[in-house]
Amino acid sequence: MAHDSLLEIKNLMTHFHLHEGIVRAVDGVSFDVRRGQTLGIIGESGCGKSVTVHSILRLVPSPPGNIVDGQILLHRGGNGMDRVAVDLARLDPRGAEIRAIRGAEISMVFQEPMTSFGPMHTIGNQIIETILLHQEGVESSDARDLAIENLRRVGIPRAEQIVDAYPHQLSGGMRQRAMIAMALSCTPRLLIADEPTTALDVTIQAQILELLMALQEEVGMAVIFITHNLGVIAEVADEVAVMYLGRIVEQAGVNELFDNPQHPYTQGLLNSIPHIDEEKLPRLRAIEGVVPDPYEIPSGCAFSDRCPSFKPGTCDRAMPNLDETVSGHLVRCFLYSDVEEGLTEGENGG
Amino acid sequence: MADDNELLLEVNDLRMYFPIQKGILRQTTGYVKAVDGVSLSIKKGETLGLVGESGCGKTTTGRCIVRVYQPTGGEIVFHDEGEIVDINRLTRQELKTFRRNMQMIFQDPFSSLNPRMTVLELVGEPLLAHGIARGQELEDRVAEMVRSVGLRVEHLPRYPHSFSGGQRQRIGIARALVQRPKLVVCDEPVSALDVSVQSQVVNLLQDLQSDLDLTYLFVAHDMSVVRQISNRIAVMYVGKLVEVAESEELLRDPKHPYSETLLSAVPRPNPHHHMQRLNLEGEPADPANAPPGCVFHPRCRYMEDICQTDVPALVELTPGHHVACHFADQLKLQGIDYARSPRA
């Protein structure tokens, strides 16, 4: 499995040092992104999903944010001897090396296309800038044609005219298409999509999801797709990681995760949402409580204070490990792992 | 639940046009027809869901009903214990007293609560403004209300910033319900909340409805949430209602092409569901410059000549099922297939 991975994250920790204390926004996250595959990351606000991907591109503002531990390995070259890996976690966030990667090898689509385009330049100029920065030997006259071609590829009508439009002149759906056109203009190997359809209407969301999946097939890129919508993740992802308070609590292939959810948090999420294609329940089965404040995370398992399967003396004493229960299915819960082992490790480790 | 057919609210031909002003003289050059001839009725004790995409006029409809906006035209008839009141004709003074009967719950619990007021002041303010209670009585009523929305009495002296989004929404609900309104317009009350908190608030709204005998107009864009809470669903598109029906019937057997597409676009939390999605080309029409004929015709898969010229009326196709489409009785549309029973 490891040899076709494009991006390997090992024990990533991104912490924010604030006046009120340290926020462990990402606290030991590891995952692989394989070539051409889609990894979905799902979680509620404050679970660290955005900070994780911002860490990959080194977009976390520092201070206060710091990658305090871990590796982010971007693999280049084929499977043979010429294979090299760059550790993005060690690059200077303002240096030339990461800037050459951003937008070229790894690019990103944000939730709100209005704030991620500069309002003072035309859509075309912003795409042309990306092309000229990252593609050597492209003349500025050709860059404009390339920009128009990219806009056409994402289904923007009248691309020759839209290329000269300012972001505010486009509708939300069109802006998101233009954002995708810009992100794909240099044929990245990895696209990070951070809630790309959350701000859009359902019919427009459906269009954008179809577009992203078609382009992924065409370009052959890998995608990290972040969302809080279980329906969207079921549709786009091959592999799904569920995050809660800075850690992955469950990870599996998309079918396995939805057919056989094992972590009480994943089960709770799936049970709490209304399912439109099932018979209506008189009441939704809500998860108790709220996501705790980042300064008041319960000791032991972070989900212990809301968990219906909470075992006193176990779950509040140590953080369970992320263990494989069946092949390819990782769960961080004492229901499935060796309690004694977890406890000793947790107590030794503090 | 609606035990009889007693009407609480009837809206007839509601219109809300916002003028477009241009130039230094602010001359009116056109109108945004946000709501253009909406007629609906809500029975006592029921929940009517109003769905549609952004810009379709669903929020404006809700705001006209509680007269946050002064509608351009139409009637809003409220049946108040035998009395019949046209909300659109009330004077300012009459409206002020009448507002006790209808309240609103807003989408964003971060911007809808005054950050300088404590929970006690926020929830108590409507009681003071209407002269319903003051002093100790006010505090008692606020405390009771706050408890019934799942907050604690210790929360009363705190300010909104110390609460999470879900708790703030509970404060907003308490503030709306403290004066015992009959009709509550819920404007996207859960769409700004986290997934695990959304279901708590939906349950709370359902519990309060049966405890306090409330009638809801539930405005939202999320079809799954609307179906969970609504007895009937009204689908809106560019200022007009296109379909109204019992919620299960609308899901199973939609009669308007727009409802069909809207249902097929809902992402299903089920990776085995390989939908034949009906992709809707293009974007909603501009309400300032709506197309002639049926407003949906430029995006409709079943469009024929008549759709480009004649506006279809909202007619009752089968009892309780209203559709505005020239071909509603001929089209075979695809709804939701309840293949699965609820998860164990």
Side-chain angles (χ1 to χ4, degrees):
Chain A
M1 199 199 276
H3 57 268
D4 71 343
S5 73
L6 174 69
L7 185 81
E8 237 180 297
I9 295 189
K10 292 181 181 169
N11 196 31
L12 177 69
M13 293 195 185
T14 307
H15 294 177
F16 289 81
H17 298 266
L18 303 173
H19 289 299
E20 295 87 347
I22 299 173
V23 174
R24 296 181 166 84
V26 179
D27 205 17
V29 163
S30 306
F31 58 78
D32 271 15
V33 183
R34 284 180 277 156
R35 286 172 212 276
Q37 298 262 297
T38 301
L39 172 75
I41 303 182
I42 193 155
E44 298 179 89
S45 51
C47 74
K49 54 193 194 300
S50 286
V51 178
T52 304
V53 293
H54 286 168
S55 303
I56 298 173
L57 280 175
R58 306 302 308 279
L59 296 173
V60 176
S62 169
N66 273 313
I67 297 182
V68 294
D69 198 7
Q71 289 179 301
I72 305 169
L73 300 175
L74 175 67
H75 293 289
R76 288 175 170 151
N79 295 332
M81 297 297 285
D82 57 338
R83 184 178 170 80
V84 283
V86 199
D87 186 357
L88 304 181
R90 285 167 195 272
L91 299 182
D92 174 7
R94 291 188 172 76
E97 218 176 330
I98 188 76
R99 290 175 59 184
I101 290 170
R102 283 182 201 143
E105 286 183 84
I106 305 177
S107 60
M108 189 152 175
V109 176
F110 299 87
Q111 173 174 354
E112 219 331 299
M114 192 64 216
T115 51
S116 36
F117 271 118
M120 304 290 283
H121 300 275
T122 61
I123 301 274
N125 280 342
Q126 299 186 50
I127 300 179
I128 290 167
E129 186 191 9
T130 319
I131 295 174
L132 290 179
L133 261 177
H134 293 298
Q135 296 187 15
E136 280 172 32
V138 176
E139 298 291 324
S140 38
S141 53
D142 300 336
R144 187 183 158 85
D145 294 339
L146 278 175
I148 293 173
E149 197 181 301
N150 273 301
L151 289 174
R152 207 171 278 141
R153 182 164 70 165
V154 297
I156 290 184
R158 298 179 295 117
E160 322 66 53
Q161 286 149 29
I162 297 293
V163 74
D164 293 319
Y166 288 89
H168 75 267
Q169 294 172 307
L170 302 185
S171 66
M174 280 299 147
R175 267 200 299 264
Q176 197 57 288
R177 282 173 192 266
M179 188 79 223
I180 293 169
M182 181 157 85
L184 298 190
S185 60
C186 298
T187 334
R189 294 191 294 149
L190 173 64
L191 177 73
I192 298 172
D194 186 359
E195 305 252 12
T197 59
T198 307
L200 305 175
D201 280 316
V202 278
T203 59
I204 308 294
Q205 165 170 285
Q207 291 172 4
I208 297 286
L209 293 180
E210 302 259 308
L211 172 73
L212 271 174
M213 289 191 282
L215 289 172
Q216 179 180 19
E217 202 140 297
E218 187 187 320
V219 181
M221 63 190 173
V223 176
I224 299 180
F225 197 106
I226 296 185
T227 179
H228 65 269
N229 186 321
L230 289 156
V232 169
I233 213 87
E235 201 161 300
V236 299
D238 299 305
E239 176 92 6
V240 181
V242 183
M243 282 187 79
Y244 189 75
L245 288 175
R247 286 190 172 90
I248 292 179
V249 295
E250 182 160 8
Q251 186 177 342
V254 66
N255 291 341
E256 168 73 9
L257 189 97
F258 280 87
D259 293 344
N260 182 23
Q262 295 191 329
H263 197 283
Y265 177 61
T266 317
Q267 292 170 347
L269 278 184
L270 276 168
N271 282 333
S272 70
I273 56 170
H275 291 256
I276 201 164
D277 48 4
E278 292 175 9
E279 273 172 52
K280 181 156 127 185
L281 293 169
R283 272 173 76 84
L284 296 173
R285 283 177 292 230
I287 303 180
E288 297 285 311
V290 293
V291 179
D293 190 88
Y295 305 109
E296 290 164 14
I297 294 179
S299 61
C301 173
F303 188 60
S304 58
D305 64 332
R306 304 174 74 187
C307 184
S309 317
F310 173 67
K311 281 185 283 189
T314 306
C315 300
D316 49 1
R317 277 172 65 200
M319 170 63 73
N321 296 322
L322 190 63
D323 288 330
E324 195 162 32
T325 52
V326 285
S327 169
H329 194 149
L330 305 170
V331 186
R332 186 187 290 283
C333 181
F334 284 126
L335 289 175
Y336 308 96
S337 68
D338 192 332
V339 173
E340 289 311 311
E341 195 183 306
L343 284 186
T344 36
E345 260 180 46
E347 276 162 8
N348 292 342
Chain B
M1 291 291 143
D3 49 337
D4 47 32
N5 289 338
E6 206 181 336
L7 282 180
L8 182 71
L9 186 83
E10 261 179 292
V11 175
N12 293 319
D13 196 26
L14 181 69
R15 276 165 290 130
M16 181 74 227
Y17 297 170
F18 295 101
I20 305 169
Q21 293 168 331
K22 287 230 170 96
I24 42 168
L25 296 175
R26 316 300 299 155
Q27 281 174 329
T28 302
T29 56
Y31 291 95
V32 174
K33 297 181 175 177
V35 179
D36 195 13
V38 163
S39 301
L40 51 84
S41 59
I42 307 180
K43 287 175 226 154
K44 217 165 247 178
E46 81 164 346
T47 301
L48 177 70
L50 186 57
V51 289
E53 297 183 88
S54 50
C56 74
K58 55 189 192 300
T59 295
T60 308
T61 305
R63 291 189 178 175
C64 285
I65 287 172
V66 296
R67 271 269 308 260
V68 176
Y69 296 141
Q70 170 69 55
T72 314
E75 286 182 322
I76 305 164
V77 183
F78 194 94
H79 297 255
D80 183 19
E81 281 149 18
E83 270 185 76
I84 291 176
V85 184
D86 183 352
I87 298 173
N88 202 8
R89 297 237 173 84
L90 293 179
T91 62
R92 271 182 105 83
Q93 205 52 45
E94 289 167 335
L95 188 63
K96 197 182 163 192
T97 354
F98 191 76
R99 277 241 170 82
R100 286 163 63 168
N101 291 316
M102 42 185 201
Q103 286 297 314
M104 242 181 131
I105 297 169
F106 298 93
Q107 171 170 11
D108 183 1
F110 291 85
S111 60
S112 56
L113 299 176
N114 185 340
R116 289 166 180 252
M117 289 167 84
T118 62
V119 174
L120 176 64
E121 288 166 339
L122 281 165
V123 180
E125 190 179 46
L127 295 176
L128 270 184
H130 289 293
I132 298 171
R134 43 196 262 191
Q136 191 56 46
E137 195 198 341
L138 179 132
E139 275 188 43
D140 291 346
R141 284 188 66 161
V142 170
E144 187 200 331
M145 191 66 233
V146 158
R147 267 195 299 266
S148 63
V149 296
L151 295 170
R152 293 197 303 270
V153 182
E154 303 92 273
H155 290 142
L156 287 178
R158 296 205 203 153
Y159 290 89
H161 70 85
S162 57
F163 294 95
S164 69
Q167 287 171 316
R168 284 187 216 205
Q169 198 57 299
R170 290 174 195 266
I171 301 171
I173 293 171
R175 181 174 155 93
L177 300 189
V178 71
Q179 49 199 313
R180 294 295 159 86
K182 299 193 172 76
L183 174 72
V184 183
V185 174
C186 311
D187 188 5
E188 301 265 14
V190 300
S191 49
L193 305 177
D194 265 326
V195 188
S196 72
V197 179
Q198 275 193 9
S199 45
Q200 296 172 359
V201 173
V202 169
N203 283 344
L204 174 67
L205 286 171
Q206 285 186 317
D207 293 346
L208 290 168
Q209 178 168 38
S210 54
D211 293 351
L212 302 177
D213 265 341
L214 300 170
T215 305
Y216 290 147
L217 176 67
F218 193 91
V219 178
H221 69 277
D222 184 335
M223 202 53 128
S224 340
V225 172
V226 169
R227 178 256 194 151
Q228 176 64 34
I229 199 164
S230 307
N231 305 99
R232 290 188 302 137
I233 296 179
V235 182
M236 200 166 175
Y237 186 77
V238 195
K240 290 187 158 64
L241 289 185
V242 297
E243 185 164 3
V244 185
E246 295 275 328
S247 52
E248 298 304 297
E249 182 171 333
L250 188 113
L251 261 67
R252 217 174 30 240
D253 192 17
K255 290 290 183 198
H256 195 282
Y258 179 64
S259 316
E260 182 191 35
T261 338
L262 208 55
L263 287 170
S264 92
V266 176
R268 314 284 163 79
N270 173 11
H272 306 292
H273 175 85
H274 295 294
M275 78 237 96
Q276 304 103 354
R277 176 170 285 154
L278 312 163
N279 244 333
L280 197 50
E281 296 295 319
E283 300 195 358
D286 178 2
N289 187 18
C294 171
V295 278
F296 187 60
H297 86 257
R299 303 175 82 191
C300 185
R301 309 192 299 150
Y302 312 100
M303 195 261 292
E304 308 232 357
D305 289 346
I306 185 176
C307 306
Q308 301 178 38
T309 49
D310 292 17
V311 180
L314 189 71
V315 292
E316 192 161 9
L317 197 67
T318 53
H321 199 147
H322 302 257
V323 193
C325 174
H326 293 298
F327 301 100
D329 51 348
Q330 296 163 32
L331 295 175
K332 280 256 169 289
L333 304 181
Q334 173 193 333
I336 303 265
D337 175 20
Y338 303 124
R340 302 192 296 162
S341 52
R343 47 193 58 238

